[in-house]
Amino acid sequence: MKPSLLSVAFAAAGLLASAAAHADAAKAQAVMKGSDCMACHAEATKLVGPSYKDVAKKYAGDAKAPAMLVEKIKKGGSGNWGAVPMTPHPNLKDDDLKVVVDWILSLK
């Protein structure tokens, strides 16, 4: 049986979305490795700060979370996850921080 044009189009769209998500994850991880993020955070394990998966879980479904987290990373902060403050990262570009936050919030 020959695949329909529609099924081929859906398959191609899925592959493109997957490739874009992989590229965004790679960019997010490159930004984090170029900063000091990994000194305090890990994907699935709490270190000094929460794991990225715990952050994703806490802010799941919160439409205001992405912008708030970009600001929190840029300016630093304390109190949401305990007494140890997160240092500010004013030199990270907003576009890079958005990619990082989007990747973190995509974790399950």
Side-chain angles (χ1 to χ4, degrees):
M1 184 158 111
K2 225 163 69 169
S4 73
L5 183 57
L6 188 57
S7 65
V8 171
F10 281 130
L15 288 173
L16 288 173
S18 176
H22 180 70
D24 288 347
K27 182 175 180 180
Q29 291 168 357
V31 169
M32 291 183 297
K33 287 178 183 172
S35 182
D36 62 349
C37 301
M38 306 307 275
C40 296
H41 302 279
E43 185 173 334
T45 307
K46 179 186 179 342
L47 298 176
V48 175
S51 73
Y52 296 131
K53 286 186 176 187
D54 286 342
V55 173
K57 186 176 178 181
K58 179 174 182 169
Y59 295 106
D62 182 347
K64 295 179 182 179
M68 182 274 298
L69 291 170
V70 165
E71 281 299 305
K72 177 75 75 170
I73 295 168
K74 193 154 205 88
K75 294 179 179 178
S78 64
N80 290 0
W81 297 93
V84 178
M86 182 171 72
T87 59
H89 299 85
N91 296 331
L92 293 176
K93 296 177 185 173
D94 286 348
D95 289 343
D96 289 341
L97 288 174
K98 183 170 178 0
V99 170
V100 168
V101 167
D102 288 347
W103 174 77
I104 291 170
L105 293 175
S106 76
L107 298 174
K108 305 237 182 302

